[in-house]
């Protein structure tokens, strides 16, 4: 459903060009395609999908970024069915345990369901959901005309002044007793003194009702949606620059100097990467927010099943005084040959990731090997009986993420979800689908916040702006999400 760019293929004009094929880029392209646009997707890697794609080592398949996905809400499920034509169902996992937290010798088990979440966190889950829902206001701040959006901004902070509080402060005030809520810091990568309650609540709500089996053919199906509507997805097609004339978009130029023309270009590669493609002072303010945390990753392949290896349900978070938070996930795999494997992903935030980009090859290899062994030892300290079943052991640094995922400085979540990103009106307004360059749009995690649901939501609102929906469409029930709902109802995807 995608094609390798070879430089000699037929070049035509397009209604829109999407740079990058992560979920937000593909979802935007699919939405625009269904709505009648002829869309071209350009991906620099040799396969589409961004953090959704996988790689294999000795028959064991590992995820590059999609380690666990929570239950989608109704609107995001609607959007998902729309872009996949209802062919990729998000089936809830049967496992009861979502996460297990180890903190300096203490163990907390978080099971799916609001009542179980409250039992561990000691906070009313309905309050958490209401706090998370405040993020919906930020969609209005970004898509409505400036004067209306700013009026709502004043109203929002008048009604909800406690939004300025950190997640830790807010949870502490609302908890009947202390809980391990800070153990989920790794899901957003923001330090507790800079993470707003709204952000922390949105993250914890995503996993409150469990996790889903993410369809392995999702990327292929979305690419199929694009192609069936007359679009195209090219891989190995690295964009060199976005063509501008008097700060108006005209198309893109590839590294081999091939030019594709289009009146609309949508970048899903993040604002920092986009800034390297745009030669215009009108785009500089979009890069004011610092990049998010980066991670060091270890990938271990084990022979056997979770049951035979006595591995637990759900994912693990480990925190101790001598190391950064460590995340461990397990993916059980049964091959057509009958072979059974468990892919183990071990990740930990890495401070000052820029150091990896300055090392010579010898120092890099030595440091990588040393750090990988530390994380490997952490895993086997908790599960010593699995070491004899090891089949694969590889690792990745922030440099690896930069090379394979084209993430700026190897960061994992795009721009950091710092408090300033949501409390500074100028930044909120800059990080929106439309840019000050006519015809240039943004989509992806940098628009709302990090995470797969945010990536999908940003695709919906970016598509809305590209297609020219207005406030009157929202009022009359003919906005893009309304059309998606009618599509779902028509084909029985509800």
């Amino acid at each position: 459903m995608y094609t390798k760019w070879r430089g000699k293929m037929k070049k035509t004009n397009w209604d829109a060009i999407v740079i990058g094929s992560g979920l937000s880029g593909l979802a935007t392209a699919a939405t625009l395609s269904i709505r009648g646009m002829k869309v071209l997707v350009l991906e620099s890697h040799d396969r589409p999908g961004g953090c959704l794609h996988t790689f294999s080592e000795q028959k064991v398949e590992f995820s590059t970024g999609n380690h666990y996905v929570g239950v989608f809400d109704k609107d995001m499920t609607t959007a998902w069915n729309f872009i996949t034509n209802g062919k990729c169902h998000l089936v809830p996992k049967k496992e009861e345990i979502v996460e297990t937290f180890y903190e300096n010798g203490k163990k907390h088990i978080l099971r799916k369901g609001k009542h179980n979440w409250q039992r561990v966190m000691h906070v009313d889950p309905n309050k958490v959901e209401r706090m998370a829902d405040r993020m919906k206001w930020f969609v209005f701040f970004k898509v409505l005309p400036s004067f209306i959006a700013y009026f709502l901004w004043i109203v929002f902070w008048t009604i909800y002044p406690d939004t300025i509080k950190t997640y830790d402060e807010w949870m502490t005030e609302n908890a009947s007793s202390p809980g391990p809520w800070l153990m989920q810091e790794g899901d957003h990568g923001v330090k507790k003194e800079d993470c707003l309650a709204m952000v922390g609540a949105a993250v914890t709500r995503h996993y409150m009702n469990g996790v889903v089996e993410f369809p392995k053919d999702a990327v292929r199906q979305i690419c199929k949606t694009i192609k069936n509507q007359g679009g195209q997805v090219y891989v190995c097609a690295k964009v060199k620059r976005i063509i501008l004339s008097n700060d108006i978009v005209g198309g893109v130029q590839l590294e081999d100097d091939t030019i594709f023309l289009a009146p609309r270009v949508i970048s899903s590669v993040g604002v920092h990467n986009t800034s390297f493609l745009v030669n215009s002072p009108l785009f500089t303010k979009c890069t004011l927010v610092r990049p998010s945390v980066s991670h060091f990753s270890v990938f271990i392949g084990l022979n056997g099943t979770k049951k035979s290896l006595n591995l637990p349900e759900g994912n693990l978070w480990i925190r101790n005084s001598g190391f950064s938070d460590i995340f461990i996930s397990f993916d059980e795999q049964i091959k057509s040959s009958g072979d059974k494997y468990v892919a183990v992903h071990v990740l930990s935030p890495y401070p000052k990731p820029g150091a990896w980009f300055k090392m010579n090859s010898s120092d890099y290899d030595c440091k990588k090997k040393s750090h990988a062994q530390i994380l490997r030892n952490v895993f086997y300290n908790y599960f010593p009986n699995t070491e004899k079943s090891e089949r694969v052991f590889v690792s990745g640094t922030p440099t690896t993420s930069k090379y394979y995922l084209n993430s700026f400085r190897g960061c994992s979540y795009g721009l950091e979800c710092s408090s300033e990103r949501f409390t500074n009106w100028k930044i909120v307004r800059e990080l929106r689908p439309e840019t000050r360059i006519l015809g240039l749009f943004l989509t992806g995690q940098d628009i709302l916040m990090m995470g797969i649901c945010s990536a999908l939501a940003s695709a919906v609102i970016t598509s809305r702006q590209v297609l020219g929906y207005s406030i009157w469409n929202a009022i009359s029930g003919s906005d893009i999400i309304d059309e998606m709902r009618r599509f779902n109802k028509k084909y029985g995807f509800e």
Side-chain angles (χ1 to χ4, degrees), residues 60-338:
V60 184
E61 192 174 80
F62 297 98
S63 298
T64 57
N66 175 31
H67 303 301
Y68 68 138
V69 177
V71 176
F72 283 25
D73 66 20
K74 188 172 182 179
D75 279 348
M76 288 302 95
T77 301
T78 295
W80 178 257
N81 289 335
F82 186 76
I83 64 172
T84 62
N85 198 29
K87 299 291 179 61
C88 297
H89 299 293
L90 298 165
V91 180
K93 285 188 175 182
K94 295 180 180 179
E95 294 181 342
E96 287 296 315
I97 297 176
V98 179
E99 296 172 311
T100 300
F101 303 142
Y102 292 92
E103 183 177 16
N104 296 323
K106 296 181 180 179
K107 180 180 179 181
H108 308 275
I109 298 177
L110 185 62
R111 292 177 168 82
K112 65 182 180 182
K114 288 184 180 182
H115 60 293
N116 289 318
W117 186 92
Q118 185 171 9
R119 191 174 299 159
V120 174
M121 299 297 184
H122 309 298
V123 177
D124 182 354
N126 296 311
K127 284 186 177 180
V128 174
E129 288 187 328
R130 288 194 294 271
M131 173 58 75
D133 280 340
R134 296 183 191 181
M135 187 65 70
K136 295 178 181 179
W137 282 73
F138 284 76
V139 175
F140 299 126
F141 300 153
K142 293 170 184 291
V143 303
L144 293 178
S146 181
F147 69 97
I148 299 177
Y150 189 69
F151 172 76
L152 291 177
W153 174 260
I154 301 300
V155 171
F156 175 82
W157 288 105
T158 302
I159 298 174
Y160 303 119
D162 62 336
T163 304
I164 197 69
K165 292 181 179 180
T166 68
Y167 183 58
D168 186 35
E169 288 176 320
W170 186 81
M171 290 288 282
T172 300
E173 289 179 5
N174 286 278
S176 58
S177 60
W181 51 77
L182 290 182
M183 286 299 294
Q184 291 183 312
E185 276 184 8
D187 282 315
H188 50 71
V190 185
K191 294 180 180 179
K192 69 175 184 178
E193 58 269 18
D194 202 24
C195 176
L196 293 182
M198 179 179 62
V199 173
V203 169
T204 196
R205 178 176 65 174
H206 181 58
Y207 302 108
M208 196 177 284
N209 291 311
V211 295
V212 298
E213 289 280 0
F214 195 78
K216 293 187 180 298
D217 63 337
V219 171
R220 180 180 177 276
Q221 186 58 49
I222 301 173
C223 289
K224 185 177 180 181
T225 298
I226 297 166
K227 196 162 186 178
N228 286 346
Q229 302 296 327
Q232 182 62 268
V233 179
Y234 284 136
V235 298
C236 299
K238 188 173 178 62
V239 174
K240 180 179 181 180
R241 69 183 180 99
I242 297 172
I243 299 170
L244 302 179
S245 176
N246 297 320
D247 288 319
I248 300 174
V249 162
V252 302
Q253 182 180 13
L254 301 187
E255 293 242 315
D256 65 4
D257 291 329
T258 299
I259 290 177
F260 290 105
L261 300 178
R264 307 167 192 85
V265 172
I266 301 102
S267 176
S268 70
V269 297
V271 297
H272 283 287
N273 282 335
T274 304
S275 69
F276 300 137
L277 305 176
V278 179
N279 183 22
S280 172
L282 295 182
F283 197 79
T284 54
K285 288 188 177 180
C286 282
T287 60
L288 292 174
V289 183
R290 59 183 176 266
S292 70
V293 66
S294 301
H295 289 85
F296 191 100
S297 306
V298 163
F299 307 93
I300 300 171
L302 303 173
N303 291 311
T305 64
K306 289 176 70 173
K307 184 177 181 179
S308 68
L309 295 167
N310 199 28
L311 293 172
E313 287 187 1
N315 305 300
L316 309 183
W317 282 103
I318 300 171
R319 172 176 289 178
N320 58 60
S321 57
F323 210 87
S324 301
D325 289 359
I326 297 172
F327 170 78
I328 302 175
S329 71
F330 310 99
D331 179 23
E332 193 171 68
Q333 302 168 15
I334 301 177
K335 305 298 180 179
S336 57
S337 61

